[in-house]
């Protein structure tokens, strides 16, 4: 992941750089049609060499195919539209967010700068929520984000250098910054009234993933061990139901959540 920088695909609710790359992989994603009984993982075909939660693996595999490895022309155009108002690339959303927080102009200036890209954000939101809700239609989506942060979803279908579904770190192992970008884009969604209710619910899950990765420190190309159950319970308890204002305060902390040294 650090080598191919693919976790920029998850960069914040829109995720990912608008690079087009990687042809179709040999193994195609399975479709998930029924989550009502919480048994979706049992309906997905086994993948030799895969480790970790089956449903979470499938979610993030499909997510990265759709929004990074094989983005459609409309997704690429939406990335470009957001980048055009954010300083040239989608990462600029984080700089706009941090700048407005630092200079006391948040949220007004942040909203003003991104408002021209609202239609692009709405398109990306609809597509991304479609994928998220396909695999976690009714509940337990927070578990998918937790596993992403914990780094326990090892997927042999992914390219070399990033077999583990996790947020990418720096080239020398520096802490991931794209959790902050994801939060910034989630806040852009809510403040611009783009599926605001959905992203208000998802934003604490982004925080949960950030916290899990900050504690677990997973590696991108190995089968990582899970966190202890007591740590898992504590993280879920700390992030469940956190409101938008408190989320902003927590994401002012860099590079780790305030409760993590």
């Amino acid at each position: 992941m650090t080598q191919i920088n693919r976790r920029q695909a998850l960069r914040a609710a829109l995720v990912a750089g608008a690079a087009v790359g990687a042809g179709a992989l040999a193994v195609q994603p399975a479709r998930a049609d029924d989550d009502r009984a919480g048994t979706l993982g049992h309906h997905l075909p086994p993948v030799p060499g895969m480790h970790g939660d089956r449903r979470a693996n499938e979610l993030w595999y499909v997510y990265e195919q759709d929004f990074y490895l094989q983005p459609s022309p409309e997704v690429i155009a939406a990335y470009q539209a957001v980048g055009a108002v954010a300083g040239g690339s989608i990462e600029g959303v984080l700089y706009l967010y941090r700048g407005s927080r630092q200079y006391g102009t948040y949220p007004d200036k942040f909203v003003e700068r991104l408002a021209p890209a609202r239609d692009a954000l709405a398109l990306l939101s609809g597509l991304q929520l479609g994928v998220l809700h396909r695999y976690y239609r009714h509940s337990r989506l927070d578990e998918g984000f937790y596993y992403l942060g914990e780094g326990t979803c090892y997927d042999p279908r992914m390219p070399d250098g990033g077999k583990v579904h996790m947020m990418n770190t720096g080239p020398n192992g520096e802490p991931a910054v794209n959790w902050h970008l994801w939060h910034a884009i989630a806040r852009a969604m809510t403040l611009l009234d783009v599926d605001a209710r959905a992203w208000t619910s998802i934003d604490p899950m982004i925080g949960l993933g950030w916290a899990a990765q900050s504690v677990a420190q997973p590696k991108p190309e190995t089968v990582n061990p899970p966190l202890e159950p007591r740590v898992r319970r504590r993280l879920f308890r700390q992030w469940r139901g956190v409101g938008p204002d408190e989320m902003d305060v927590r994401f002012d902390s860099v590079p780790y959540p305030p409760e993590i040294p």
Side-chain angles (χ1 to χ4, degrees):
M1 159 215 319
T2 56
Q3 294 175 3
I4 61 179
N5 202 29
R6 63 184 174 83
R7 254 352 146 289
Q8 291 178 352
L10 302 174
R11 36 192 173 187
L14 323 172
V15 270
V20 182
L25 300 182
V27 181
Q28 295 301 311
R31 298 291 297 184
D33 296 320
D34 188 0
D35 184 26
R36 285 172 295 182
T39 58
L40 174 58
H42 299 297
H43 296 290
L44 296 169
V47 175
M50 177 179 285
H51 293 266
D53 185 84
R54 181 66 184 87
R55 173 162 50 166
N57 262 299
E58 197 70 18
L59 164 62
W60 298 120
Y61 174 78
V62 171
Y63 202 88
E64 293 186 73
Q65 296 301 306
D66 288 358
F67 299 109
Y68 181 63
L69 293 175
Q70 300 182 67
S72 67
E74 66 177 348
V75 168
I76 294 171
Y79 290 152
Q80 292 171 341
V82 176
V85 302
S89 70
I90 203 166
E91 291 95 335
V93 175
L94 177 58
Y95 302 129
L96 293 177
Y97 172 82
R98 284 180 169 172
S100 64
R101 296 282 295 169
Q102 179 180 354
Y103 292 109
T105 61
Y106 181 84
D108 294 347
K109 194 67 175 179
F110 182 61
V111 171
E112 177 186 328
R113 288 290 303 273
L114 289 174
R118 187 185 184 282
D119 288 347
L121 290 170
L123 184 147
L124 290 165
S125 175
L127 294 174
Q128 292 190 347
L129 292 176
V131 173
L132 293 173
H133 294 158
R134 184 192 313 166
Y135 292 96
Y136 290 85
R137 186 177 304 166
H138 298 289
S139 63
R140 299 173 61 187
L141 180 57
D142 54 353
E143 292 187 358
F145 280 84
Y146 175 81
Y147 291 131
L148 178 67
E150 188 183 44
T152 49
C153 290
Y154 181 94
D155 193 338
R157 298 172 296 181
M158 294 306 295
D160 291 340
K163 297 293 187 184
V164 175
H165 294 294
M166 57 180 278
M167 198 66 80
N168 64 294
T169 55
N172 298 309
E174 296 89 349
V177 299
N178 286 333
W179 291 110
H180 287 77
L181 175 57
W182 206 341
H183 165 71
I185 298 181
R187 291 299 279 133
M189 298 289 196
T190 60
L191 291 167
L192 289 167
D193 197 24
V194 174
D195 299 313
R197 182 177 178 180
W199 289 109
T200 297
S201 297
I202 290 171
D203 199 20
M205 303 180 199
I206 296 171
L208 173 64
W210 174 40
Q213 185 162 340
S214 298
V215 174
Q217 300 287 310
K219 305 300 181 185
E221 194 66 12
T222 188
V223 177
N224 295 294
L227 293 171
E228 295 181 8
R230 63 177 181 81
V231 175
R232 173 191 166 111
R233 289 192 297 269
R234 173 173 59 82
L235 294 176
F236 272 84
R237 187 169 57 249
Q238 288 174 337
W239 289 93
R240 184 168 286 132
V242 180
D245 292 341
E246 177 62 21
M247 288 298 300
D248 284 332
V249 171
R250 294 191 186 191
F251 269 96
D252 285 339
S253 180
V254 177
Y256 303 123
E259 71 274 12
I260 298 174

